[in-house]
Amino acid sequence: MSMYFSQTRRSSCIYIGNTSCSKCFQSPSMHACITTMSPSPLVQGGRGVRWVFLGCPGVGKGTYASRLAKVLQVPHIAMGDLVRHELSQSSSMAKQLATLMSQGQLLPDDIILRLLSKRLDDNTTSSQPGFILDGFPRTVHQAEMMEEVADVQLVVNLKLREDALIAKCLGRRICSQCGGNFNLARLEMEESNSAPRIFMPPLLPPPSCASKMTTRADDTEEVVRTRLRIYYEESKPVEDFYRRGGKLLDFEVSGGIPETWPRLLAALNVDEKGHTNHDDSHKFAA
C-alpha cells in the first residue's frame, strides 16, 4: 500500500520535508525570498517529526515508538507513562484513574488532554523539536481535539492478529527494581484465513531481574478482552479519521523486534542514523 500526505505546519510556516525560507520560513509560493531557500532546520537528521502510533493494546506501540524516537532524536510521549506517573502521585485523580484502568475502561478525555497538553508545553519550554506519541488519540473526538493541540504529520497504525495480542499481553512482565519491560510469551501461530503467520520469541529478563518480575494489574484475560472490545468499538474509527486525512500508514506486525524493526524503518523511509529519505511527494510504502 502507498499513501501520500502533506507535511505542513501552517502556524509556523515551516514546511517539513521540503524547503523553507531561511529568513521567515515561508513556502516559496507565499513570498518573494526565493533566493534564500535552504533545508528547513527541523528536518535535518529527521528531527522535528510529529508522528502518532496507533494500534490495539499490546501491539507494541510503546516499543517501536520509543525506538524510533531515539533514532530521530525527538521526545517519545507515551500516554501510558503519563498516566502511570499521575497514578504515583496519590491524588484524587490517581484513585479515579486506578478504578477505570482496573475495569479496562477508557480514561476521560478531559484528563487525558490535560496530561498531554502539559507534556507538549514542556517540550516547547525545553525547545525539544517534534515528538512521537503513542496511546493517544483513542477516539474520533480525541483525534479532533488533538488537531487543536498539535499538527500531526503521520499516523502509523500497527496491526496484529487478536489471538497473538491476547497471548502477548498475558506474557508481559515488568521488573520491580529497574522498571524494564519483558515478555515471557513465545508466539508460534500458523496462517489462518486472513490472519498472517506469527512467530515472536520471548523477551526474557536478565538473571538480575528474573526474580523481580511483576504483572500489570490490567493484564488479565478478562481485562485484555474488554480493552480489545472497547478498542474495536470506539477507537478503530480513529483509523478512518486519519485515513480520510491522508495521514494513515497501516503496518502489519508479523514477527519479533529483529524482524519487524528493519521493515518498519523501510516503510517509514528512515535509516538507522535517523535520516528521513522522503522525496518531494512525501510517499510512504507499507
Side-chain angles (χ1 to χ4, degrees):
M1 155 184 180
S2 298
M3 50 91 65
Y4 298 82
F5 65 102
S6 172
Q7 296 179 307
T8 305
R9 187 171 187 176
R10 296 180 180 84
S11 60
S12 60
C13 298
I14 293 175
Y15 287 71
I16 304 300
N18 202 331
T19 56
S20 57
C21 177
S22 59
K23 292 183 178 179
C24 68
F25 298 108
Q26 288 188 357
S27 163
S29 64
M30 294 176 65
H31 62 44
C33 300
I34 298 177
T35 58
T36 63
M37 288 292 105
S38 62
S40 168
L42 290 184
V43 297
Q44 294 181 11
R47 297 177 186 139
V49 301
R50 297 182 299 279
W51 293 355
V52 169
F53 272 64
L54 295 181
C56 294
V59 74
K61 296 185 296 294
T63 297
Y64 293 109
S66 62
R67 280 181 166 239
L68 191 61
K70 289 178 181 178
V71 169
L72 295 178
Q73 299 182 46
V74 297
H76 169 225
I77 303 177
M79 288 308 306
D81 290 343
L82 295 184
V83 171
R84 281 186 283 275
H85 175 72
E86 185 63 33
L87 286 170
S88 69
Q89 302 305 301
S90 300
S91 61
S92 58
M93 180 186 294
K95 294 179 181 179
Q96 180 184 3
L97 294 177
T99 299
L100 292 170
M101 289 178 65
S102 67
Q103 298 171 349
Q105 299 297 314
L106 292 177
L107 301 180
D109 290 349
D110 60 332
I111 294 178
I112 294 297
L113 260 296
R114 194 185 317 164
L115 295 175
L116 178 59
S117 295
K118 181 179 183 301
R119 182 63 179 84
L120 292 177
D121 287 343
D122 290 343
N123 274 13
T124 302
T125 301
S126 60
S127 300
Q128 292 179 296
F131 60 82
I132 293 181
L133 170 67
D134 81 78
F136 186 89
R138 291 186 175 180
T139 67
V140 171
H141 182 233
Q142 290 177 353
E144 292 171 342
M145 289 191 295
M146 181 71 182
E147 294 288 300
E148 303 300 321
V149 175
D151 184 8
V152 174
Q153 301 165 339
L154 174 67
V155 178
V156 182
N157 183 35
L158 300 183
K159 304 169 76 68
L160 180 64
R161 51 189 284 184
E162 185 172 320
D163 52 351
L165 280 167
I166 294 173
K168 196 172 175 217
C169 285
L170 297 182
R172 290 193 295 197
R173 297 293 186 274
I174 301 173
C175 177
S176 59
Q177 180 172 312
C178 72
N181 291 282
F182 307 97
N183 202 300
L184 307 184
R186 178 185 178 86
L187 306 184
E188 292 186 71
M189 302 173 177
E190 297 300 322
E191 183 176 354
S192 175
N193 298 324
S194 60
R197 179 183 182 278
I198 297 290
F199 174 72
M200 293 185 185
L203 181 61
L204 300 176
S208 59
C209 296
S211 63
K212 305 177 183 68
M213 292 293 94
T214 60
T215 304
R216 284 172 41 169
D218 56 339
D219 275 349
T220 65
E221 184 169 354
E222 180 180 0
V223 171
V224 170
R225 289 188 180 278
T226 298
R227 291 169 67 197
L228 288 176
R229 177 180 56 79
I230 291 174
Y231 178 82
Y232 292 135
E233 292 178 355
E234 300 184 26
S235 298
K236 201 170 183 298
V238 175
E239 300 173 17
D240 297 328
F241 175 86
Y242 285 117
R243 185 175 286 110
R244 288 192 299 269
K247 297 182 178 182
L248 191 76
L249 172 66
D250 288 311
F251 182 86
E252 191 76 38
V253 176
S254 59
I257 294 175
E259 175 185 329
T260 302
W261 177 240
R263 289 181 50 240
L264 180 60
L265 289 180
L268 294 172
N269 294 329
V270 174
D271 64 27
E272 288 282 2
K273 294 182 179 180
H275 297 106
T276 52
N277 303 312
H278 309 156
D279 58 25
D280 289 341
S281 66
H282 310 297
K283 178 179 179 181
F284 285 79

